[in-house]
Amino acid sequence: ALYERWEQPEKAVACNRVLLTILEKQYGEQSPILVRVLARQAQDLRTLGHAAEADKFDQRATTIRASTMNPN
């Protein structure tokens, strides 16, 4: 979050990758806890001009949201 406030998305992307790895190991690859980090990663990648890679993170977040939503 600090790198985002300091407008250094390239450093935020690197930190988010490490954070995602840690969270995936701790909570699982489909945990809703990942959604926030995935969304930030996509935003930072778009800022850096990597739209195709950002789309993959957005899609993963959407998939997790859909699989963990409560239908009731």
Side-chain angles (χ1 to χ4, degrees), residues 7-70:
E7 298 178 9
Q8 296 180 356
E10 65 284 343
K11 290 183 180 180
V13 165
C15 286
N16 285 335
R17 286 194 176 146
V18 173
L19 180 58
L20 278 170
T21 300
I22 292 167
L23 292 175
E24 287 169 343
K25 287 181 182 180
Q26 185 171 2
Y27 296 104
E29 293 183 1
Q30 295 300 314
S31 174
I33 291 172
L34 301 175
V35 171
R36 182 180 220 150
V37 179
L38 291 167
R40 273 190 285 184
Q41 186 75 332
Q43 180 181 2
D44 290 333
L45 286 167
R46 279 198 178 77
T47 299
L48 294 171
H50 302 286
E53 190 176 356
D55 290 343
K56 293 176 187 178
F57 284 94
D58 279 336
Q59 180 59 42
R60 185 170 172 206
T62 300
T63 301
I64 292 171
R65 278 189 205 107
S67 68
T68 60
M69 284 178 50
N70 186 357

